Amino acid sequence: MKNIFDKAVTDEVIERINKLSPETQPNWGKMSVDQMLAHCSVTYELDFEDKHPKPKGLMKWVLKTFIKKVVVSEKPYKKNSRTAPEFIITSEKEFNTEKERLTGYITKVQALGSNHYDQKESHSFGKLSVTEWNNMFYKHLDHHLTQFGV
């Protein structure tokens, strides 16, 4: 898996995002391109913003026990996979705003670097290794950029 903490990889991902336009159509799925950009930003909102409640009790256990390995492994996501409720974007978004927000988050992660993420507590999965953080960030972006043909 490519390393999102590597500036060359970050630049490549942002270059792919910059190939998108408000008219770009998905190869599969129901999201529009603006919704996809907002959807991808949720991963970073969970890291940087305090807008999503932390899971508790049974939900926390389910996330750590079953969902974590799907999210942080190197195994690619399947097309049309189910997603957590906070990742579902149904309203129309402003393309350029969402594009700038997502690229800003990606750049921030790269600037913070892998040392910042070593054993850092995640919103939903507990402490993650640098590899797990990388897989979570990169795999999700790559999945959706591929969905939109870039």
Side-chain angles (χ1 to χ4, degrees):
M1 177 125 352
K2 291 186 179 181
N3 183 355
I4 198 69
F5 299 110
D6 180 326
K7 183 163 178 6
V9 173
T10 298
D11 290 347
E12 175 189 309
V13 168
I14 291 172
E15 185 178 314
R16 290 169 70 188
I17 291 169
N18 286 334
K19 290 179 182 176
L20 297 168
S21 75
E23 294 77 34
T24 306
Q25 295 297 309
N27 293 320
W28 73 83
K30 299 175 185 175
M31 285 189 289
S32 63
V33 67
D34 53 288
Q35 291 170 329
M36 178 274 289
L37 293 168
H39 166 88
C40 286
S41 286
V42 173
T43 303
Y44 302 94
E45 291 172 0
L46 293 170
D47 187 27
F48 297 124
E49 315 292 334
D50 189 25
K51 66 187 281 185
H52 302 283
K54 286 197 173 218
K56 295 182 175 141
L58 180 61
M59 180 53 71
K60 185 176 183 175
W61 180 81
V62 168
L63 287 168
K64 283 182 161 185
T65 307
F66 299 106
I67 307 302
K68 176 182 174 181
K69 62 185 169 191
V70 173
V71 172
V72 302
S73 75
E74 290 196 15
K75 185 177 179 185
Y77 292 123
K78 294 177 184 171
K79 293 178 183 177
N80 298 312
S81 298
R82 296 190 69 190
T83 193
E86 59 265 49
F87 284 82
I88 296 172
I89 309 294
T90 56
S91 61
E92 188 175 314
K93 300 292 183 182
E94 204 289 310
F95 175 81
N96 287 319
T97 300
E98 294 303 327
K99 184 172 116 172
E100 288 175 22
R101 190 164 73 102
L102 180 58
T103 57
Y105 283 138
I106 294 166
T107 302
K108 184 175 181 176
V109 165
Q110 194 279 318
L112 287 169
S114 59
N115 287 341
H116 174 79
Y117 285 93
D118 189 22
Q119 297 304 308
K120 183 178 188 289
E121 186 85 17
S122 76
H123 180 272
S124 303
F125 304 126
K127 289 183 179 181
L128 299 179
S129 70
V130 172
T131 300
E132 290 171 324
W133 277 104
N134 176 69
N135 292 351
M136 180 171 64
F137 287 140
Y138 183 81
K139 178 168 73 169
H140 191 231
L141 289 168
D142 185 60
H143 173 78
H144 287 295
L145 293 174
T146 301
Q147 176 188 14
F148 280 82
V150 295

